[in-house]
Amino acid sequence: RAGGGYRVFAGEVVDFPWKDDAGFLAGDVTIEGTGAFSASRYRVSYKNENIISWRDEIFSIMPPDLIAIADSRTGAASANPEFHRGQLVTVLGFPAPAIWRTPAGLSVFGPAHFGFNVPYIPIEERQR
């Protein structure tokens, strides 16, 4: 609530391949939904930081909005790639500051900057 964020997904970590990419920690974490999310899968792609995510292969949260993954049992942040299979996690999303959502901000920190040829859609529009 304090950050104006959203609980966008909850489930169990099923895969988290990663590699060293020119000094960056790059990978994906895949989460199989539980409870209200049991019919879905969620994937977060990161390059050091969480960059973009998909729910059932449809874009969910995209830069510059923030993606955080927390351990569902403890509430502690889960750092990349320190997951374990079977770990229960909650994905949280937060709107970026307004300056990053301007055309100038998006040109340096929007989806295209990270190689995704999609228009930016703010998290609050995706959560309706």
Side-chain angles (χ1 to χ4, degrees), residues 37-101:
F37 302 98
S38 64
S40 293
R41 275 193 157 210
Y42 204 85
R43 182 167 54 99
V44 177
S45 183
Y46 57 87
K47 193 167 187 180
N48 286 355
E49 304 297 330
N50 296 326
I51 304 295
I52 198 162
S53 64
W54 300 262
R55 181 173 177 177
D56 298 325
E57 298 307 316
I58 298 170
F59 286 104
S60 177
I61 305 171
M62 55 185 58
D65 293 335
L66 177 71
I67 304 165
I69 302 174
D71 185 286
S72 296
R73 292 186 176 136
T74 66
S78 294
N80 299 323
E82 297 177 4
F83 301 102
H84 62 269
R85 283 180 179 77
Q87 179 181 6
L88 295 176
V89 295
T90 300
V91 180
L92 306 167
F94 299 89
I99 194 164
W100 288 113
R101 293 171 160 210

